[in-house]
Amino acid sequence: MLFWKKSRAKDPKIGLALGGGGAKGLAHILALQVFDQLGLRPHRIAGTSIGAIFGALYASGMSAREVEEGVRAVVISEGDSFRAAIEQRKPFKAIKLFDLNFGSRAIFKGDKFIEFLFEMIGVSDFSELQIPLRVVATDFWTAEKVVISEGDLMQAVRASMALPGVFLPVEKDGRVLIDGGAVDPLPYDLLDDCDLLVAVDVMGLMNDPEGEPPNLFRAISGTFDIMQKSIIAGNIAARPPDIYIQPRITNVNILDFFKLETIYEQSRPAQEELRRRLEELLG
């Protein structure tokens, strides 16, 4: 059942939730394009992990075109793999964004990536954003959802994207924070003050290379994906958003940022669905 009613508001407040999914989150750019093309501005944005990253970029006042240009300036070319790029020390820009961590807690520190985001966004505090933003992280020790909407923006985004084993956790206010996908991978529940809820789920489909067992990294990340899908499915069943968009992305792993064009191609139908649904409800 939809919670939206056209008679609820003459100028409805649109809440936009951007979910986690690693590199698959590049599909969020297409959703932001629809908002720009229709001349719509979200009243509030809520994001988890990669959704928090794109939420922060868009909330800062950047257009979808500017976000895409920034991403294209650093992503690895199609056909190159992230692992090969590191091993061969290829001199393209994306490598600068990933600072290898030689400890035992994670592959990357995440500092350089956050520095890059800060340069793109140009703001450092939630109060400087043009659109209110809520970012989701997880308290590792208590398993509680932590919603951050004020203070240090980059610290919040880094906490939200701190996928265990990939990026180092963030220590904030006496808490150890990890990826928000552990508790709320698609946080449209944080948009109750809006009239129309739009949720973009970029978890995609599981890869099945002829039933072969996954390697260690894929097994861990895939298990996290399964957990997130289960959480989203339960939330959708209990209370669906007004518009639920789910690009059918497949054969893309969490660090496959070099597959930008593939992700775009697979997500075009979902982009058109979002456009159609918004025009139907707001037309």
Side-chain angles (χ1 to χ4, degrees):
M1 179 181 69
L2 296 179
F3 292 92
W4 162 254
K5 294 181 180 179
K6 287 188 177 182
S7 61
R8 179 180 295 177
K10 182 177 180 181
D11 296 311
K13 297 177 180 179
I14 302 175
L16 174 61
L18 302 176
K24 292 172 284 189
L26 293 171
H28 286 317
I29 297 174
L30 301 187
L32 300 179
Q33 287 177 355
V34 172
F35 275 81
D36 282 359
Q37 291 163 2
L38 296 181
L40 299 175
R41 179 184 174 91
H43 171 71
R44 186 181 302 282
I45 299 173
T48 295
S49 197
I50 190 76
I53 294 172
F54 283 112
L57 291 170
Y58 200 59
S60 73
M62 295 180 68
S63 67
R65 178 183 58 79
E66 290 170 331
V67 171
E68 181 180 29
E69 288 175 352
V71 168
R72 285 188 179 278
V74 296
V75 296
I76 303 168
S77 300
E78 192 92 13
D80 280 320
S81 73
F82 184 82
R83 176 180 296 177
I86 291 179
E87 292 176 348
Q88 298 170 24
R89 299 182 182 276
K90 289 191 174 183
F92 51 74
K93 299 179 181 178
I95 290 302
K96 297 190 300 182
L97 304 185
F98 295 94
D99 39 1
L100 288 171
N101 175 58
F102 294 100
S104 59
R105 294 189 295 165
I107 301 174
F108 305 108
K109 296 178 182 178
D111 292 338
K112 290 186 178 180
F113 187 72
I114 290 300
E115 290 172 5
F116 163 71
L117 286 179
F118 177 77
E119 291 178 1
M120 282 188 68
I121 294 173
V123 302
S124 59
D125 194 275
F126 278 87
S127 63
E128 302 174 74
L129 296 174
Q130 295 186 19
I131 299 173
L133 174 69
R134 291 171 178 163
V135 169
V136 179
T138 304
D139 185 317
F140 179 81
W141 294 114
T142 66
E144 294 176 320
K145 178 165 67 177
V146 179
V147 180
I148 309 172
S149 59
E150 59 183 10
D152 189 326
L153 177 63
M154 293 299 98
Q155 183 186 50
V157 171
R158 181 177 168 184
S160 185
M161 62 174 249
L163 181 66
V166 178
F167 291 104
L168 286 173
V170 171
E171 297 182 31
K172 175 180 171 60
D173 300 329
R175 289 176 148 178
V176 176
L177 303 181
I178 63 169
D179 197 305
V183 288
D184 195 356
L186 187 60
Y188 63 89
D189 58 302
L190 302 181
L191 302 171
D192 283 344
D193 56 342
C194 299
D195 301 310
L196 176 63
L197 305 186
V198 179
V200 184
D201 173 6
V202 294
M203 288 304 302
L205 306 176
M206 293 292 287
N207 304 339
D208 182 13
E210 299 181 355
E212 296 180 3
N215 59 31
L216 177 60
F217 179 76
R218 184 59 187 139
I220 295 173
S221 63
T223 299
F224 196 71
D225 284 356
I226 292 170
M227 178 190 69
Q228 292 182 89
K229 288 173 178 287
S230 179
I231 294 172
I232 293 173
N235 291 341
I236 294 292
R239 184 194 176 198
D242 301 294
I243 299 178
Y244 174 57
I245 300 300
Q246 186 182 33
R248 295 184 63 81
I249 304 170
T250 188
N251 294 320
V252 176
N253 294 322
I254 62 170
L255 294 179
D256 286 352
F257 289 94
F258 62 95
K259 292 185 176 180
L260 174 64
E261 297 304 333
T262 295
I263 294 167
Y264 271 18
E265 180 180 356
Q266 294 178 351
S267 302
R268 290 293 183 191
Q271 181 187 39
E272 292 308 310
E273 180 186 358
L274 174 59
R275 187 193 317 277
R276 178 180 58 80
R277 295 295 309 282
L278 283 170
E279 288 176 335
E280 285 178 354
L281 291 176
L282 299 176

